[in-house]
Amino acid sequence: MSRITSAEIDSIYDSRGRPTVEATIVLESGARGRAGAPSGASTGAHEVAAFPPGGVPEAIRTFRARVAPALLGLDAADRAAIDGRLHELDGTPSFGHLGGNTATAVSVASAIAYAEEIGVPLWKVLARPHVDGRVFPAIVGNCLNGGRHAIGGPDIQEFIAFAESARPEESVAAAIRVHGLIGEELHRRFPKLALGRGDEGGWVAPLGNLEAVELLTEVCARVRDETHLSVHPGLDLAASEFFVEGKYRYKEQTLDPAGQVGFVEHLVDRFGLRYLEDPFDQEAFDDFAALTRSVGGRTLVVGDDLYVTNAERLAQGIEQGSSNAVLIKVNQVGTLTDTLRTVDLADASGLATVTSHRSGEVPEGWLAHVAVGTAARGLKCGVLGGERVAKLNELLRLGRATGR
Ligand code: 2PG
Ligand code: MG
């Protein structure tokens, strides 16, 4: 038995310089796992709370007083027992007492410790029954930032290169190439401007929404020609962020929900988008369904704030036909057990899963193992910045381990 002999939590910083937590779990054998939890900016209304009301200090106090003693002696092989204990100790539906980030850090650190103890890579410990670790996700690489992740950029939050290859070396290189060429093009267009990068390492430039999609689309076509890979444009609109009093309020236009459906359909047709995340408000299951009916055969329609990795919300989306894909973020729902339950439901219903980072990240690579262990259709982890590259590099290592 892989008994937990020590459980600790401490404060670290995320890539935005905000405090978060990391957990260290040690087993009887001496095997140890450490994991930090990320934080979002455009958080969904139905996500679990990242921290209790008193923030990281309260999360740490509560952990030391009540959680650590209750984890000692548990078997790290029994994920359900560890994650179940976290829920019991929390006692709220939203990790309001312990904090979802504590739950994520402990859940992941325990899995890492167990993987080390039995001498296998983390992805194998997480692997769903049908997964052999040889299917690699497309890179969902955020190249231009807007919305809450950028100051002075477009309203749309993320302009994404969706790069596919059976070999991660190729898909990662293609996404990085798109990012680099967009930078070159921006320098050419704005020679006097000091360009910046947003929270997720994508460029920030004074572009309108359509100008930005146009630029992304041109560059994806260039990289497609160069590499002969499938490299297509995608967007995360994070539309809940600019849905105010029943209308989608862009700088250039204001649309009612029917207008927004039409606008997004137009974007898919005009730019050949292959990836479309959160094009509507987080409660708009019906509008998602209308869009999935019309363009779902040509593009991934992905629910992020809509589902918040929550199996009950996903079940509603499946019933209504709201999307053909779901974004998977561990700390939206708390534990790996909750996360994998949502993945299993998506798999059973034929929906694609896309494993995702948060805008405030930690420089760790475990997310790549979640993607490979669940045979995710995509890994959304940004393109540049140490905390993003950590995940891409880990994916490369996993690819090399299988000869890809
Ligand atoms: C999103 C994410 C990550 P945040 O909306 O998909 O890109 O942003 O972590 O701020 O919720
Ligand atoms: Mg999103």
Side-chain angles (χ1 to χ4, degrees), residues 93-94 134 149 158 188 193 206 217 235 256 263 299 324 334 396:
S94 60
R134 304 181 71 82
H149 298 169
E158 300 173 26
R188 208 181 56 74
L193 206 73
T217 305
L235 299 175
D256 63 16
F263 175 60
T299 186
N324 55 21
L396 295 181

Side-chain angles (χ1 to χ4, degrees), residues 97-159:
H97 186 49
L98 303 189
N101 275 23
T102 292
T104 296
V106 168
S107 189
V108 176
S110 304
I112 292 173
Y114 178 59
E116 186 185 311
E117 170 153 298
I118 63 172
V120 302
L122 175 63
W123 72 262
K124 259 196 186 159
V125 164
L126 307 176
R128 315 322 295 146
H130 60 284
V131 170
D132 66 0
R134 304 181 71 82
V135 173
F136 290 91
I139 302 302
V140 182
N142 184 1
C143 293
L144 262 167
N145 291 183
R148 284 236 185 182
H149 298 169
I151 298 167
D155 310 292
I156 292 177
Q157 181 177 282
E158 300 173 26
F159 298 82

Side-chain angles (χ1 to χ4, degrees), residues 161-196:
F162 188 76
E164 296 180 89
S165 167
R167 301 182 55 227
E169 285 196 4
E170 291 182 338
S171 48
V172 169
I176 290 175
R177 179 80 177 136
V178 173
H179 186 285
L181 287 178
I182 289 180
E184 281 177 24
E185 183 56 26
L186 289 172
H187 282 296
R188 208 181 56 74
R189 285 195 200 176
F190 304 103
K192 299 230 165 73
L193 206 73
L195 291 165

